[in-house]
Short mmCIF file of all heavy atoms in Angstrom, two decimals:
data_model
loop_
_atom_site.label_atom_id
_atom_site.label_comp_id
_atom_site.label_asym_id
_atom_site.label_seq_id
_atom_site.Cartn_x
_atom_site.Cartn_y
_atom_site.Cartn_z
N TYR A 1 -7.26 -8.50 -15.37
CA TYR A 1 -6.66 -8.97 -14.21
C TYR A 1 -6.18 -7.78 -13.37
O TYR A 1 -5.61 -6.81 -13.82
CB TYR A 1 -5.51 -9.88 -14.50
CG TYR A 1 -5.87 -11.13 -15.29
CD1 TYR A 1 -6.07 -11.07 -16.64
CD2 TYR A 1 -6.09 -12.36 -14.68
CE1 TYR A 1 -6.46 -12.22 -17.34
CE2 TYR A 1 -6.46 -13.50 -15.34
CZ TYR A 1 -6.64 -13.42 -16.71
OH TYR A 1 -7.03 -14.54 -17.36
N TYR A 2 -6.33 -7.91 -11.99
CA TYR A 2 -6.12 -6.84 -11.13
C TYR A 2 -5.71 -7.34 -9.73
O TYR A 2 -6.48 -8.12 -9.13
CB TYR A 2 -7.34 -5.92 -10.97
CG TYR A 2 -7.12 -4.48 -10.74
CD1 TYR A 2 -8.18 -3.51 -10.81
CD2 TYR A 2 -5.88 -3.92 -10.48
CE1 TYR A 2 -8.01 -2.20 -10.71
CE2 TYR A 2 -5.65 -2.59 -10.30
CZ TYR A 2 -6.74 -1.71 -10.42
OH TYR A 2 -6.55 -0.35 -10.23
N LEU A 3 -4.53 -6.99 -9.22
CA LEU A 3 -4.18 -7.25 -7.85
C LEU A 3 -4.64 -6.01 -7.11
O LEU A 3 -4.20 -4.93 -7.27
CB LEU A 3 -2.64 -7.49 -7.71
CG LEU A 3 -2.14 -7.90 -6.26
CD1 LEU A 3 -0.89 -8.80 -6.42
CD2 LEU A 3 -1.88 -6.72 -5.43
N GLN A 4 -5.68 -6.20 -6.24
CA GLN A 4 -6.34 -5.14 -5.67
C GLN A 4 -6.17 -5.05 -4.11
O GLN A 4 -6.41 -6.04 -3.45
CB GLN A 4 -7.91 -5.25 -5.87
CG GLN A 4 -8.31 -5.12 -7.36
CD GLN A 4 -9.81 -5.21 -7.52
OE1 GLN A 4 -10.38 -6.27 -7.24
NE2 GLN A 4 -10.42 -4.12 -7.90
N GLN A 5 -5.75 -3.86 -3.64
CA GLN A 5 -5.73 -3.47 -2.30
C GLN A 5 -5.25 -4.57 -1.32
O GLN A 5 -5.94 -4.90 -0.40
CB GLN A 5 -7.23 -3.06 -1.93
CG GLN A 5 -7.31 -2.21 -0.70
CD GLN A 5 -8.71 -1.58 -0.50
OE1 GLN A 5 -9.23 -1.07 -1.49
NE2 GLN A 5 -9.17 -1.66 0.69
N GLN A 6 -4.06 -4.98 -1.54
CA GLN A 6 -3.40 -5.97 -0.71
C GLN A 6 -2.44 -5.32 0.25
O GLN A 6 -1.64 -4.46 -0.21
CB GLN A 6 -2.84 -7.14 -1.47
CG GLN A 6 -3.92 -7.88 -2.27
CD GLN A 6 -3.45 -9.20 -2.83
OE1 GLN A 6 -2.41 -9.73 -2.42
NE2 GLN A 6 -4.16 -9.74 -3.78
N SER A 7 -2.36 -5.78 1.50
CA SER A 7 -1.53 -5.14 2.50
C SER A 7 -0.06 -5.33 2.11
O SER A 7 0.40 -6.46 1.91
CB SER A 7 -1.79 -5.84 3.89
OG SER A 7 -0.73 -5.47 4.77
N ILE A 8 0.65 -4.25 2.05
CA ILE A 8 2.13 -4.33 1.81
C ILE A 8 2.89 -4.96 2.95
O ILE A 8 3.61 -5.90 2.77
CB ILE A 8 2.64 -2.97 1.44
CG1 ILE A 8 2.01 -2.43 0.15
CG2 ILE A 8 4.23 -2.98 1.29
CD1 ILE A 8 2.43 -1.05 -0.27
N PRO A 9 2.64 -4.51 4.28
CA PRO A 9 3.33 -5.14 5.31
C PRO A 9 3.12 -6.67 5.47
O PRO A 9 4.00 -7.41 5.82
CB PRO A 9 2.91 -4.40 6.53
CG PRO A 9 2.39 -3.03 6.02
CD PRO A 9 1.81 -3.36 4.73
N THR A 10 1.92 -7.06 5.15
CA THR A 10 1.56 -8.51 5.35
C THR A 10 1.91 -9.33 4.14
O THR A 10 2.52 -10.37 4.27
CB THR A 10 0.09 -8.69 5.56
OG1 THR A 10 -0.31 -7.91 6.73
CG2 THR A 10 -0.32 -10.10 5.75
N GLU A 11 1.60 -8.87 2.89
CA GLU A 11 1.82 -9.69 1.70
C GLU A 11 3.08 -9.33 0.95
O GLU A 11 3.69 -10.24 0.35
CB GLU A 11 0.61 -9.45 0.75
CG GLU A 11 -0.75 -9.96 1.37
CD GLU A 11 -0.73 -11.37 1.63
OE1 GLU A 11 -0.06 -12.17 0.98
OE2 GLU A 11 -1.53 -11.85 2.57
N PHE A 12 3.60 -8.13 1.02
CA PHE A 12 4.71 -7.71 0.21
C PHE A 12 5.71 -6.85 1.03
O PHE A 12 6.06 -5.73 0.65
CB PHE A 12 4.25 -6.90 -1.04
CG PHE A 12 3.29 -7.64 -1.92
CD1 PHE A 12 1.93 -7.45 -1.81
CD2 PHE A 12 3.75 -8.57 -2.87
CE1 PHE A 12 1.02 -8.14 -2.62
CE2 PHE A 12 2.93 -9.22 -3.64
CZ PHE A 12 1.54 -9.07 -3.54
N PRO A 13 6.15 -7.37 2.22
CA PRO A 13 7.03 -6.59 3.08
C PRO A 13 8.34 -6.15 2.42
O PRO A 13 8.96 -5.14 2.88
CB PRO A 13 7.23 -7.44 4.30
CG PRO A 13 6.97 -8.85 3.80
CD PRO A 13 5.91 -8.74 2.74
N GLU A 14 8.76 -6.88 1.42
CA GLU A 14 9.98 -6.60 0.72
C GLU A 14 9.93 -5.20 0.04
O GLU A 14 10.93 -4.62 -0.29
CB GLU A 14 10.34 -7.61 -0.31
CG GLU A 14 10.56 -9.08 0.33
CD GLU A 14 9.28 -9.85 0.40
OE1 GLU A 14 8.15 -9.33 0.44
OE2 GLU A 14 9.44 -11.13 0.54
N LEU A 15 8.68 -4.71 -0.19
CA LEU A 15 8.57 -3.39 -0.88
C LEU A 15 8.58 -2.20 0.03
O LEU A 15 8.73 -1.10 -0.36
CB LEU A 15 7.19 -3.40 -1.65
CG LEU A 15 7.06 -4.45 -2.72
CD1 LEU A 15 5.69 -4.28 -3.46
CD2 LEU A 15 8.15 -4.31 -3.79
N LEU A 16 8.50 -2.46 1.37
CA LEU A 16 8.48 -1.33 2.36
C LEU A 16 9.71 -0.40 2.27
O LEU A 16 9.53 0.81 2.37
CB LEU A 16 8.32 -1.87 3.69
CG LEU A 16 6.94 -2.43 4.11
CD1 LEU A 16 6.89 -3.04 5.50
CD2 LEU A 16 5.90 -1.24 4.04
N PRO A 17 10.93 -0.96 2.01
CA PRO A 17 12.11 -0.03 1.91
C PRO A 17 12.03 0.89 0.74
O PRO A 17 12.74 1.93 0.73
CB PRO A 17 13.25 -0.95 1.81
CG PRO A 17 12.81 -2.27 2.39
CD PRO A 17 11.38 -2.34 2.04
N ASP A 18 11.13 0.66 -0.22
CA ASP A 18 11.04 1.42 -1.45
C ASP A 18 10.11 2.62 -1.38
O ASP A 18 9.99 3.41 -2.25
CB ASP A 18 10.60 0.58 -2.72
CG ASP A 18 11.60 -0.59 -2.91
OD1 ASP A 18 12.83 -0.45 -2.57
OD2 ASP A 18 11.15 -1.54 -3.54
N ILE A 19 9.30 2.67 -0.23
CA ILE A 19 8.37 3.76 -0.10
C ILE A 19 8.58 4.38 1.29
O ILE A 19 9.27 3.89 2.11
CB ILE A 19 6.93 3.26 -0.14
CG1 ILE A 19 6.61 2.18 0.97
CG2 ILE A 19 6.67 2.62 -1.54
CD1 ILE A 19 5.17 1.72 0.92
N LYS A 20 7.98 5.59 1.48
CA LYS A 20 7.98 6.31 2.82
C LYS A 20 6.55 6.69 3.15
O LYS A 20 5.82 7.16 2.29
CB LYS A 20 8.87 7.47 2.71
CG LYS A 20 10.31 7.18 2.38
CD LYS A 20 11.15 8.46 2.28
CE LYS A 20 12.64 8.19 1.99
NZ LYS A 20 13.43 9.43 1.86
N PHE A 21 6.24 6.60 4.41
CA PHE A 21 4.95 7.02 4.81
C PHE A 21 4.85 8.58 4.69
O PHE A 21 5.67 9.28 5.35
CB PHE A 21 4.64 6.63 6.27
CG PHE A 21 4.25 5.18 6.44
CD1 PHE A 21 5.16 4.17 6.19
CD2 PHE A 21 2.94 4.81 6.69
CE1 PHE A 21 4.83 2.81 6.34
CE2 PHE A 21 2.58 3.48 6.83
CZ PHE A 21 3.57 2.50 6.64
N PRO A 22 3.85 9.12 4.01
CA PRO A 22 3.72 10.56 3.90
C PRO A 22 3.49 11.14 5.30
O PRO A 22 2.79 10.50 6.11
CB PRO A 22 2.48 10.74 2.98
CG PRO A 22 2.40 9.41 2.24
CD PRO A 22 2.90 8.36 3.13
N GLU A 23 3.89 12.32 5.53
CA GLU A 23 3.84 12.99 6.85
C GLU A 23 2.57 13.76 7.01
O GLU A 23 2.44 14.51 7.97
CB GLU A 23 5.02 13.86 7.04
CG GLU A 23 6.35 13.07 7.04
CD GLU A 23 7.57 13.98 7.28
OE1 GLU A 23 7.32 15.23 7.40
OE2 GLU A 23 8.68 13.39 7.43
N TYR A 24 1.58 13.54 6.14
CA TYR A 24 0.31 14.37 6.24
C TYR A 24 -0.70 13.89 7.17
O TYR A 24 -1.54 14.58 7.60
CB TYR A 24 -0.26 14.53 4.84
CG TYR A 24 0.63 15.24 3.88
CD1 TYR A 24 1.28 14.60 2.75
CD2 TYR A 24 1.01 16.53 4.08
CE1 TYR A 24 2.03 15.27 1.91
CE2 TYR A 24 1.87 17.22 3.26
CZ TYR A 24 2.41 16.59 2.13
OH TYR A 24 3.23 17.32 1.25
N PHE A 25 -0.59 12.59 7.60
CA PHE A 25 -1.53 12.02 8.53
C PHE A 25 -0.84 11.79 9.86
O PHE A 25 0.41 11.66 9.97
CB PHE A 25 -2.05 10.69 8.03
CG PHE A 25 -3.04 10.70 6.92
CD1 PHE A 25 -3.24 9.57 6.09
CD2 PHE A 25 -3.77 11.89 6.66
CE1 PHE A 25 -4.19 9.60 5.06
CE2 PHE A 25 -4.73 11.90 5.60
CZ PHE A 25 -4.91 10.73 4.86
N ASP A 26 -1.60 11.75 10.95
CA ASP A 26 -1.08 11.35 12.26
C ASP A 26 -0.70 9.81 12.18
O ASP A 26 -1.57 8.98 11.91
CB ASP A 26 -2.12 11.55 13.35
CG ASP A 26 -1.68 11.36 14.73
OD1 ASP A 26 -0.67 10.58 14.93
OD2 ASP A 26 -2.28 11.89 15.65
N LYS A 27 0.54 9.51 12.54
CA LYS A 27 1.00 8.13 12.43
C LYS A 27 0.17 7.17 13.29
O LYS A 27 0.05 6.01 12.99
CB LYS A 27 2.46 8.07 12.76
CG LYS A 27 3.32 8.65 11.67
CD LYS A 27 4.86 8.44 11.98
CE LYS A 27 5.69 9.04 10.81
NZ LYS A 27 7.16 8.87 11.08
N LYS A 28 -0.33 7.73 14.39
CA LYS A 28 -1.14 6.86 15.35
C LYS A 28 -2.45 6.42 14.71
O LYS A 28 -3.05 5.42 15.09
CB LYS A 28 -1.43 7.61 16.60
CG LYS A 28 -0.19 7.92 17.44
CD LYS A 28 -0.51 8.63 18.73
CE LYS A 28 -1.12 10.07 18.41
NZ LYS A 28 -1.35 10.88 19.62
N LEU A 29 -2.88 7.08 13.63
CA LEU A 29 -4.12 6.75 13.00
C LEU A 29 -3.96 5.97 11.67
O LEU A 29 -4.89 5.59 11.06
CB LEU A 29 -4.92 8.05 12.65
CG LEU A 29 -5.25 8.99 13.91
CD1 LEU A 29 -5.95 10.23 13.41
CD2 LEU A 29 -6.19 8.11 14.83
N PHE A 30 -2.63 5.68 11.28
CA PHE A 30 -2.40 4.92 10.10
C PHE A 30 -2.95 3.48 10.16
O PHE A 30 -2.89 2.87 11.22
CB PHE A 30 -0.94 4.88 9.82
CG PHE A 30 -0.39 5.96 8.83
CD1 PHE A 30 0.57 6.88 9.22
CD2 PHE A 30 -0.90 6.10 7.53
CE1 PHE A 30 1.02 7.80 8.39
CE2 PHE A 30 -0.42 7.06 6.70
CZ PHE A 30 0.50 7.88 7.10
N VAL A 31 -3.39 2.96 9.04
CA VAL A 31 -3.70 1.65 8.89
C VAL A 31 -2.73 1.09 7.76
O VAL A 31 -2.22 1.88 7.00
CB VAL A 31 -5.19 1.42 8.48
CG1 VAL A 31 -5.58 0.01 8.22
CG2 VAL A 31 -6.18 2.05 9.47
N ASP A 32 -2.49 -0.25 7.70
CA ASP A 32 -1.58 -0.78 6.77
C ASP A 32 -1.76 -0.18 5.32
O ASP A 32 -2.92 -0.20 4.85
CB ASP A 32 -1.70 -2.30 6.71
CG ASP A 32 -0.94 -2.99 7.80
OD1 ASP A 32 -0.41 -2.37 8.70
OD2 ASP A 32 -0.98 -4.26 7.89
N PRO A 33 -0.67 0.25 4.72
CA PRO A 33 -0.77 0.62 3.32
C PRO A 33 -1.09 -0.55 2.45
O PRO A 33 -0.66 -1.67 2.70
CB PRO A 33 0.57 1.24 2.97
CG PRO A 33 1.51 0.59 3.97
CD PRO A 33 0.65 0.37 5.21
N THR A 34 -1.77 -0.32 1.30
CA THR A 34 -2.12 -1.37 0.35
C THR A 34 -1.67 -1.03 -0.99
O THR A 34 -1.44 0.14 -1.35
CB THR A 34 -3.69 -1.62 0.41
OG1 THR A 34 -4.35 -0.38 0.12
CG2 THR A 34 -4.12 -2.13 1.73
N ILE A 35 -1.51 -2.06 -1.85
CA ILE A 35 -0.94 -1.89 -3.21
C ILE A 35 -1.99 -2.42 -4.20
O ILE A 35 -2.79 -3.34 -3.95
CB ILE A 35 0.32 -2.66 -3.33
CG1 ILE A 35 1.02 -2.32 -4.64
CG2 ILE A 35 0.19 -4.20 -3.19
CD1 ILE A 35 2.46 -2.76 -4.77
N TRP A 36 -2.00 -1.79 -5.39
CA TRP A 36 -2.80 -2.16 -6.50
C TRP A 36 -1.88 -2.32 -7.75
O TRP A 36 -1.03 -1.43 -7.98
CB TRP A 36 -3.83 -1.09 -6.88
CG TRP A 36 -4.84 -0.73 -5.80
CD1 TRP A 36 -4.54 -0.06 -4.67
CD2 TRP A 36 -6.17 -0.94 -5.86
NE1 TRP A 36 -5.75 0.14 -3.96
CE2 TRP A 36 -6.76 -0.38 -4.63
CE3 TRP A 36 -7.08 -1.59 -6.72
CZ2 TRP A 36 -8.09 -0.47 -4.31
CZ3 TRP A 36 -8.43 -1.66 -6.46
CH2 TRP A 36 -8.91 -1.14 -5.23
N ILE A 37 -1.91 -3.48 -8.42
CA ILE A 37 -1.15 -3.68 -9.63
C ILE A 37 -2.10 -4.16 -10.72
O ILE A 37 -2.81 -5.09 -10.53
CB ILE A 37 -0.06 -4.72 -9.37
CG1 ILE A 37 0.87 -4.27 -8.17
CG2 ILE A 37 0.83 -4.94 -10.62
CD1 ILE A 37 1.94 -5.37 -7.84
N GLY A 38 -2.04 -3.47 -11.84
CA GLY A 38 -2.84 -3.89 -13.00
C GLY A 38 -2.25 -3.34 -14.30
O GLY A 38 -1.08 -2.99 -14.37
N SER A 39 -3.14 -3.18 -15.25
CA SER A 39 -2.75 -2.57 -16.55
C SER A 39 -3.81 -1.56 -16.91
O SER A 39 -4.84 -1.42 -16.21
CB SER A 39 -2.69 -3.73 -17.63
OG SER A 39 -3.89 -4.44 -17.68
N GLY A 40 -3.61 -0.88 -18.04
CA GLY A 40 -4.54 0.06 -18.49
C GLY A 40 -5.81 -0.60 -18.81
O GLY A 40 -5.81 -1.76 -19.29
N GLY A 41 -7.00 0.06 -18.61
CA GLY A 41 -8.28 -0.45 -19.01
C GLY A 41 -9.09 -0.91 -17.79
O GLY A 41 -10.32 -1.04 -17.90
N ASN A 42 -8.51 -1.12 -16.63
CA ASN A 42 -9.25 -1.61 -15.50
C ASN A 42 -10.05 -0.45 -14.89
O ASN A 42 -9.58 0.67 -14.84
CB ASN A 42 -8.31 -2.17 -14.41
CG ASN A 42 -7.67 -3.52 -14.80
OD1 ASN A 42 -8.10 -4.11 -15.75
ND2 ASN A 42 -6.64 -3.84 -14.07
N THR A 43 -11.29 -0.81 -14.40
CA THR A 43 -12.06 0.16 -13.77
C THR A 43 -12.59 -0.28 -12.41
O THR A 43 -13.13 -1.40 -12.30
CB THR A 43 -13.33 0.49 -14.65
OG1 THR A 43 -12.91 0.95 -15.91
CG2 THR A 43 -14.28 1.53 -13.96
#
């Protein structure tokens, strides 16, 4: 089982305070961050 590449702002906005956007990209070019949740063994 794998929760794959789901939008944090759309599906899990409660998690946004726990992370920070890295400063390595131009913010104007950012697309919504996504989250993956699973266990060991997934490929």
Side-chain angles (χ1 to χ4, degrees):
Y1 297 80
Y2 212 169
L3 186 149
Q4 292 184 296
Q5 199 168 313
Q6 296 194 16
S7 167
I8 296 177
T10 301
E11 299 295 333
F12 303 98
E14 297 89 341
L15 298 180
L16 286 172
D18 300 336
I19 63 177
K20 297 179 181 179
F21 282 72
E23 298 182 353
Y24 296 115
F25 288 157
D26 185 337
K27 289 184 179 179
K28 294 180 294 186
L29 300 177
F30 265 122
V31 179
D32 279 2
T34 55
I35 190 169
W36 301 69
I37 303 175
S39 59
N42 291 346
T43 299

